[in-house]
């Protein structure tokens, strides 16, 4: 976003791998910050390998997932196992306002790049670390990813059918939830700093952000000893409340009726069939008590219609209803198009892909992305030459020494 | 410093967590609810099972660090009080349906003229404008329309949401981020702005690039239940479930070897498994019989041990296995306990003490964490309205008229 955006001029240095770190800083790139990712080919971000197939050579620049999660960022490739590489990162930390990293706890400290070491060198820095369990505690070295975080934090237990396995929502929820907290913490620390506050280290545990979000789950157990268990798509006290089949392959509609008014609207929309007028369905308590029958009747009706037509018909009648959209359908969603959620950006290797924006719009600071995700080391010359002021000869020497790798 | 920021929250459940995050960050959050209490937000279950809005556990869980006042903004004296409150507010956080405030003469243009420094953060299902802006939706419909449900659940049953409203949980920190961005911009511009949050659009973030990865493929992946591709991810333990990905690739070899070594120590590894070649293991090409044999061996080991036993072994051996914890296990978790992650709040009027997650980060400068319990109905009416300059008699009169 270059010169415009709330964070034009802000400098973020990012070290890490995977989704959780990348998504957190993307919000700032969307609002004009310069985000430099330190990476290397010797130990590549595993997202750069996410497209790899067994037995085939890997192109580190051909991973769509990496590109999609890192638009507008700069990439500099530095081998952190070399002291000269560590020195370059320290000099980039001198340049930065914010250092965000999500390596295993202690890994950066061993290199002299830990939060305390960076803050001792530059007290005004905002250093954010994001790890599954945080930087302290007996299990901080547990080697998990988002899939494990989701299970430990309770989301798996809460997702699924009561008679089957605990599943967890698609795509490892702690990887998508925790970066939003990391981002708001960076924003809060920046706001404080602009009002005279100092730098600081912020220690985020991805699992803790998940459990904090599930405060209701914890409180219900602590207060009443109630262990909330996955309940399919049901909601206490509401019926019908579920996902029903529509005409076509794997086509579904979600319907959530939470009041007698919404039920009557649904009955009217169905043309008041005799089953729906049975007294046992007239009250919420009755509908909940007979929800198996209710669901069967309703499914027989929804099955006759296309999902999008049915959604329009039910919404028109005042019933909360929505199509279960597949990933490809999201690209055609008119509301997302209205909000310009997807930005088509060209990538040298991958071509044009739909890059996604945040879930909010600022009326006076529209923001957005100019560039696709970076190739590995794409910005080496700019970062080393223009930002760190190294001469062409010095850069050449770093290349020869495999520090730039 | 965030303590000097005043937030006025007029939200249904979709916005509770956003207000809580701001309060737990130290902002002064005044929560407005209808006289008599927000009966939607103060929903069951209730503390001790006693039906009383002040005992609503959803309310107590998600409204910490806020002060509470009652106000009927639909009445004209109530509207006048609202306007006085807005005079002293930095951020209005609300979940009004699009157009509601316009009908009160407080559409964004008018609001900005009257309160140029005010930030308004509006959380709605689909955003303020656009073809779906007027659609009705709560969590289930948002999760359905947002794409996550299509990928969650078993292939032979309908798509699924999480049993608690995760779409609100995803939108909350994003709304707070938008608020802080708008406040940051105000530092230089001197002007507020509208933060238009769409629950639906926030849901797309849960897909981690899914539409871009699969949206144009002829057959996008579908929900696969307890499996990821061909192999099992979720396994039955003696007392619950554990997550363990039977996946191939160089990064997994050490963990798979450690798992077999552990089984072998316990006498649970058949001879063929002890010599298994994990370097060559590729779930995509393994034949059905061999895969079933592997899964049966692992499955019977998992089924013989409790979730805690399995997790303890995984920690010791650095194996990527995790228990699918319930709330009891989470509250007892040694790691969370060591970080003092839970705090006990007292509810003396009910003779109760409840443990809550205390914070979402540890920070050197920001003081992140619960400051006070959720308010009782109208608990801070006197305090807030007197600070606004209303006399005690005026407050009593407005209360008698049902405005407060």
């Amino acid at each position: 976003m270059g010169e415009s955006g709330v964070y034009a001029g802000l400098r973020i240095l990012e070290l890490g791998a995977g989704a959780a770190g990348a998504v957190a800083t993307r919000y700032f790139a969307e609002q004009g910050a310069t985000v430099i990712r330190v990476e290397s080919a010797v130990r590549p971000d595993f997202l750069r390998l996410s497209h790899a197939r067994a037995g085939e050579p890997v192109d580190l620049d051909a991973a769509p997932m990496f590109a999609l999660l890192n638009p507008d960022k700069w990439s500099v490739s530095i081998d952190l196992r070399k002291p000269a590489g560590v020195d370059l990162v320290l000099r980039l930390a001198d340049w930065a306002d914010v250092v965000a990293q999500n390596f295993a706890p202690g890994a950066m400290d061993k290199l002299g790049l830990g939060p305390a070491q960076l803050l001792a060198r530059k007290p005004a820095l905002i250093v954010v670390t994001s790890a599954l369990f945080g930087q302290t505690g007996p299990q901080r070295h547990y080697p998990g990813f988002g899939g494990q975080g989701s299970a430990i934090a309770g989301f798996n237990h809460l997702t699924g059918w009561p008679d089957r396995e605990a599943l967890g929502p698609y795509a490892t929820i702690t990887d998508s939830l925790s970066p939003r907290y990391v981002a708001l913490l960076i924003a809060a620390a920046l706001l404080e700093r602009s009002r005279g506050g100092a730098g600081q280290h912020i220690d985020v545990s991805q699992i803790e952000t998940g459990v904090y979000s599930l405060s209701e789950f914890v409180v219900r157990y602590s207060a009443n000893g109630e262990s909330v268990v996955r309940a399919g798509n049901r909601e206490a006290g509401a019926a019908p409340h579920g996902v029903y089949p529509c005409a076509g392959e794997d086509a579904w509609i979600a319907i959530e009726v939470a009041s007698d008014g919404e039920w009557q609207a649904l009955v009217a929309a169905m043309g008041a069939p005799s089953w729906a007028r049975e007294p046992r369905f007239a009250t919420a308590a009755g509908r909940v008590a007979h929800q198996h029958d209710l669901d069967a009747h309703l499914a027989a009706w929804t099955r006759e219609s296309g999902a999008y037509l049915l959604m329009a018909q039910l919404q028109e009648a005042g019933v909360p209803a929505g199509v279960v959209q597949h990933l490809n359908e999201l690209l055609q969603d008119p509301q997302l198009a209205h909000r310009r959620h997807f930005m088509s950006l060209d990538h040298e290797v991958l071509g044009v892909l739909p890059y996604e924006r945040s879930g909010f719009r600022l009326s006076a600071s529209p923001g957005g992305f100019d560039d696709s995700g970076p190739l590995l080391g794409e910005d080496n010359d700019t970062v080393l030459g223009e930002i760190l002021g190294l001469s062409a000869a010095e850069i050449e020497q770093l290349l020869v020494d495999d520090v730039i790798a | 410093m965030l303590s000097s920021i005043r937030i006025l929250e007029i939200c249904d459940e979709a916005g509770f967590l956003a207000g809580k995050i701001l309060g737990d960050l130290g902002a002064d959050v005044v929560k407005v609810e209808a006289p008599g209490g927000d009966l939607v937000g103060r929903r069951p279950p209730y503390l001790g099972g006693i039906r009383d809005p002040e005992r609503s556990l959803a309310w107590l869980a998600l409204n910490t660090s806020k002060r509470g006042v009652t106000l009927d903004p639909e009445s004209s004296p109530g509207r006048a009080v609202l306007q006085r409150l807005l005079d002293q507010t930095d951020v209005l956080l609300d979940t009004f349906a699009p157009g509601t405030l316009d009908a009160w003469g407080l559409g964004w243009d008018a609001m900005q003229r009257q309160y140029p420094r005010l930030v308004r953060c509006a959380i709605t299902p689909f955003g303020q404008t656009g073809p779906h802006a007027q659609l009705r939706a709560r969590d289930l419909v948002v999760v359905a329309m947002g794409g996550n449900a299509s990928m969650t659940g078993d292939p032979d049953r309908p798509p699924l949401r999480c049993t608690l409203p995760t779409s609100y949980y995803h939108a909350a920190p994003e709304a707070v981020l938008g608020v802080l961005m708008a406040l940051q911009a105000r530092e230089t511009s001197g002007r507020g702005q509208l933060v238009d949050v769409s629950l639906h659009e926030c849901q797309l973030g849960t897909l981690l690039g899914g539409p871009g990865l699969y949206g144009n493929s002829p057959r996008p992946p579908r929900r696969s239940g307890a499996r990821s591709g061909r192999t099992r991810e979720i396994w039955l333990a003696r007392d619950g479930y554990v997550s363990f990905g039977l996946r191939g690739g160089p990064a997994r070899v050490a963990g798979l070897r450690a798992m077999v070594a552990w089984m072998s120590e316990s006498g649970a590894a058949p001879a063929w498994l002890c010599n298994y070649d994990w370097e060559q293991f590729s779930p995509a090409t393994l034949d059905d019989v061999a895969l079933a044999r592997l899964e049966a061996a692992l499955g019977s080991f998992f089924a013989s041990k409790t979730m805690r036993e399995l997790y303890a072994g995984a920690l010791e051996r650095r194996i990527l296995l995790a228990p699918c914890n319930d709330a009891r296990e989470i509250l007892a978790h040694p790691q969370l306990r060591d970080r003092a992650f839970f705090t006990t709040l007292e509810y003396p009027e009910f003779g109760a003490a409840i443990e809550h997650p205390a914070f979402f980060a540890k920070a050197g400068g920001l003081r992140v964490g619960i400051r006070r319990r959720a308010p009782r109905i109208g608990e801070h009416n006197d305090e807030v309205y007197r600070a606004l300059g209303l006399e005690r008699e005026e407050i009593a009169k407005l209360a008698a008229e049902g405005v407060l």
Side-chain angles (χ1 to χ4, degrees):
Chain A
M1 262 288 100
E3 300 309 303
S4 74
V6 175
Y7 295 110
L10 181 74
R11 300 158 166 189
I12 299 182
L13 181 66
E14 179 178 330
L15 300 121
V23 171
T25 56
R26 186 178 58 172
Y27 291 104
F28 296 88
E30 187 177 349
Q31 283 293 341
T34 300
V35 181
I36 298 181
R37 274 188 73 87
V38 176
E39 321 179 58
S40 79
V42 283
R43 295 189 84 176
D45 182 339
F46 61 86
L47 287 190
R48 286 197 179 273
L49 305 168
S50 57
H51 62 307
R53 298 226 164 106
E56 289 176 22
V58 181
D59 179 352
L60 295 174
D61 292 324
M65 189 167 180
F66 176 87
L68 286 165
L69 298 185
N70 289 289
D72 259 4
K73 297 185 188 177
W74 299 11
S75 170
V76 59
S77 57
I78 298 173
D79 184 351
L80 294 180
R81 299 173 307 179
K82 300 226 161 60
V86 171
D87 185 59
L88 289 175
V89 174
L90 285 172
R91 292 168 67 181
L92 282 172
D94 291 341
W95 161 87
D97 299 294
V98 177
V99 175
Q101 63 108 326
N102 71 330
F103 284 118
M108 289 292 100
D109 306 65
K110 278 184 201 147
L111 297 174
L113 298 171
Q117 292 147 325
L118 294 181
L119 277 167
R121 185 180 168 104
K122 186 179 181 186
L125 262 187
I126 294 163
V127 182
V128 187
T129 55
S130 172
L132 201 62
F133 268 132
Q135 302 295 307
T136 64
Q139 296 179 11
R140 66 186 181 281
H141 294 304
Y142 171 75
F145 295 97
Q148 289 73 45
S150 174
I152 292 168
F155 291 101
N156 286 33
H157 179 76
L158 288 169
T159 310
W161 300 98
D163 61 334
R164 287 193 182 172
E165 295 99 333
L167 295 180
Y170 170 68
T172 60
I173 189 165
T174 47
D175 278 343
S176 58
L177 194 53
S178 69
R180 306 180 200 220
Y181 283 94
V182 170
L184 79 85
L185 284 155
I186 293 172
L190 286 168
L191 187 60
E192 287 223 327
R193 208 180 67 172
S194 67
R195 294 175 164 201
Q200 57 185 305
H201 170 216
I202 300 171
D203 166 13
V204 177
S205 150
Q206 295 162 14
I207 285 172
E208 285 172 1
T209 65
V211 178
Y212 175 85
S213 303
L214 290 175
S215 284
E216 181 183 338
F217 182 47
V218 171
V219 161
R220 280 166 71 168
Y221 185 80
S222 175
N224 282 1
E226 178 201 4
S227 192
V228 184
V229 185
R230 56 195 168 279
N233 289 314
R234 295 216 158 130
E235 172 88 13
H241 194 283
V243 170
Y244 302 89
C246 295
E249 194 217 336
D250 205 28
W252 305 88
I253 190 162
I255 298 174
E256 41 189 352
V257 166
S259 67
D260 290 341
E262 287 174 351
W263 167 246
Q264 283 145 17
L266 175 60
V267 173
M270 293 189 291
S274 58
W275 70 264
R277 286 179 281 130
E278 290 175 34
R280 61 182 178 142
F281 295 137
T283 65
R287 291 192 296 278
V288 169
H290 300 102
Q291 55 188 326
H292 275 291
D293 287 355
L294 177 59
D295 283 347
H297 281 299
L298 185 55
W301 180 73
T302 57
R303 198 172 272 126
E304 301 299 314
S305 304
Y308 285 94
L309 278 172
L310 194 55
M311 172 173 87
Q313 185 188 343
L314 290 175
Q315 285 282 353
E316 183 64 33
V319 180
V323 175
V324 175
Q325 299 202 92
H326 294 285
L327 298 180
N328 53 336
E329 290 171 313
L330 294 169
L331 295 171
Q332 318 300 327
D333 181 296
Q335 182 68 15
L336 293 171
H338 173 81
R339 288 174 71 87
R340 298 191 165 84
H341 177 76
F342 296 105
M343 296 188 76
S344 294
L345 300 169
D346 199 7
H347 182 280
E348 201 175 307
V349 177
L350 296 162
V352 176
L353 287 174
Y355 290 76
E356 296 189 57
R357 302 200 49 188
S358 64
F360 59 91
R361 292 294 172 280
L362 299 171
S363 59
S365 316
F369 302 112
D370 294 323
D371 291 320
S372 60
L375 307 180
L376 181 63
E378 181 175 344
D379 304 289
N380 282 352
D381 286 344
T382 315
V383 171
L384 301 171
E386 290 175 27
I387 290 179
L388 294 185
L390 300 185
S391 67
E394 286 171 308
I395 295 174
E396 184 55 38
Q397 190 58 50
L398 290 168
L399 277 166
V400 169
D401 295 342
D402 288 331
V403 175
I404 303 302
Chain B
M1 239 151 311
L2 285 170
S3 59
S4 64
I5 293 168
R6 287 160 304 186
I7 316 275
L8 194 68
E9 180 196 317
I10 313 180
C11 285
D12 64 20
E13 203 177 325
F16 283 9
L17 182 59
K20 171 179 159 72
I21 293 170
L22 285 161
D24 290 348
L25 270 174
D28 176 16
V29 180
V30 172
K31 183 170 179 86
V32 178
E33 49 175 343
D38 171 356
L39 294 176
V40 178
R42 291 174 178 268
R43 62 166 167 80
Y46 300 105
L47 174 61
I50 298 167
R51 199 178 167 81
D52 169 356
E54 295 209 326
R55 288 171 170 267
S56 161
L57 293 172
W59 177 271
L60 296 179
L62 295 171
N63 291 293
T64 60
S65 305
K66 303 176 187 178
R67 295 191 289 163
V69 299
T70 53
L71 180 67
D72 173 15
E74 309 228 17
S75 69
S76 100
R79 196 78 47 81
V81 175
L82 176 64
Q83 303 237 3
R84 288 173 72 167
L85 279 168
L86 286 174
D87 265 330
Q88 303 196 357
T89 292
D90 294 292
V91 180
L92 170 65
L93 174 68
D94 72 75
T95 52
F96 291 117
T100 307
L101 287 180
D102 303 71
W104 298 355
L106 281 173
W108 177 240
D109 288 344
M111 193 176 266
Q112 211 179 18
R113 269 196 305 278
Q114 204 174 338
Y115 313 100
R117 287 180 57 79
L118 181 73
V119 170
R120 179 184 170 204
C121 177
I123 302 173
T124 54
F126 297 96
Q128 295 294 303
T129 61
H132 290 172
Q134 299 298 330
L135 296 193
R136 292 164 194 252
R138 291 180 289 267
D139 179 66
L140 179 62
V141 167
V142 169
V143 174
M145 295 281 283
N148 198 294
S150 77
M151 300 294 292
T152 301
D154 294 311
D156 62 335
R157 288 196 186 170
L160 278 175
R161 69 159 186 163
C162 179
T163 293
L164 287 172
T166 49
S167 67
Y168 306 161
Y169 306 157
H170 281 286
E174 211 156 324
V176 172
L177 175 60
V179 164
L180 293 166
M181 284 183 173
L183 290 171
Q184 186 72 61
R186 192 179 74 167
E187 295 286 300
T188 40
S189 73
R191 296 182 62 80
Q193 54 182 314
L194 174 67
V195 184
D196 173 7
V197 183
S198 155
L199 294 172
H200 174 238
E201 197 174 14
C202 288
Q203 257 304 289
L204 269 86
T206 68
L207 307 172
L208 296 173
L213 290 172
Y214 306 114
N216 287 321
S217 55
R219 191 176 160 79
R222 294 283 164 90
R223 60 192 181 282
S224 55
R227 290 176 180 274
S228 169
R230 288 184 70 216
T231 57
R232 185 164 275 282
E233 290 272 313
I234 306 290
W235 307 72
L236 185 68
R238 210 165 80 201
D239 58 346
Y241 293 94
V242 293
S243 167
F244 172 78
L246 183 54
R247 300 192 202 171
R252 300 272 174 165
V253 171
L256 290 162
R257 283 208 187 109
M259 176 60 78
V260 173
W262 181 17
M263 290 169 67
S264 175
E265 284 164 37
S266 317
W272 62 265
L273 187 60
C274 294
N275 306 313
Y276 202 83
D277 184 0
W278 293 111
E279 306 270 0
Q280 299 303 316
F281 170 63
S282 167
T285 53
L286 201 64
D287 70 70
D288 287 348
V289 176
L291 183 59
R293 187 173 72 148
L294 252 184
E295 291 195 350
L298 285 162
S300 64
F301 179 68
F302 293 143
S304 73
K305 298 208 174 305
T306 64
M307 293 158 68
R308 280 192 187 188
E309 287 166 349
L310 289 168
Y311 185 52
L315 280 170
E316 202 180 304
R317 294 167 174 84
R318 299 186 63 76
I319 294 170
L320 285 175
L321 177 148
C324 297
N325 287 328
D326 62 8
R328 187 181 62 103
E329 285 299 307
I330 288 166
L331 270 158
H333 204 286
Q335 167 72 12
L336 299 176
R337 288 278 161 201
D338 185 84
R339 283 168 62 87
F341 178 65
F342 299 103
T343 188
T344 301
L345 300 183
E346 302 286 339
Y347 300 88
E349 73 276 29
F350 307 129
I354 302 175
E355 286 197 283
H356 295 246
F359 53 79
F360 50 88
K362 287 172 174 285
L366 296 167
R367 213 165 57 78
V368 187
I370 291 182
R371 271 138 236 274
R372 61 161 89 207
R373 54 166 283 186
R376 308 189 65 176
I377 295 171
E379 181 178 344
H380 302 97
N381 278 3
D382 270 351
E383 187 178 306
V384 169
Y385 291 134
R386 300 226 347 126
L388 216 54
L390 292 179
E391 296 300 332
R392 216 162 239 142
E393 306 77 63
E394 261 178 292
I395 296 172
K397 182 167 168 284
L398 288 168
E401 287 167 359
V403 175
L404 306 183

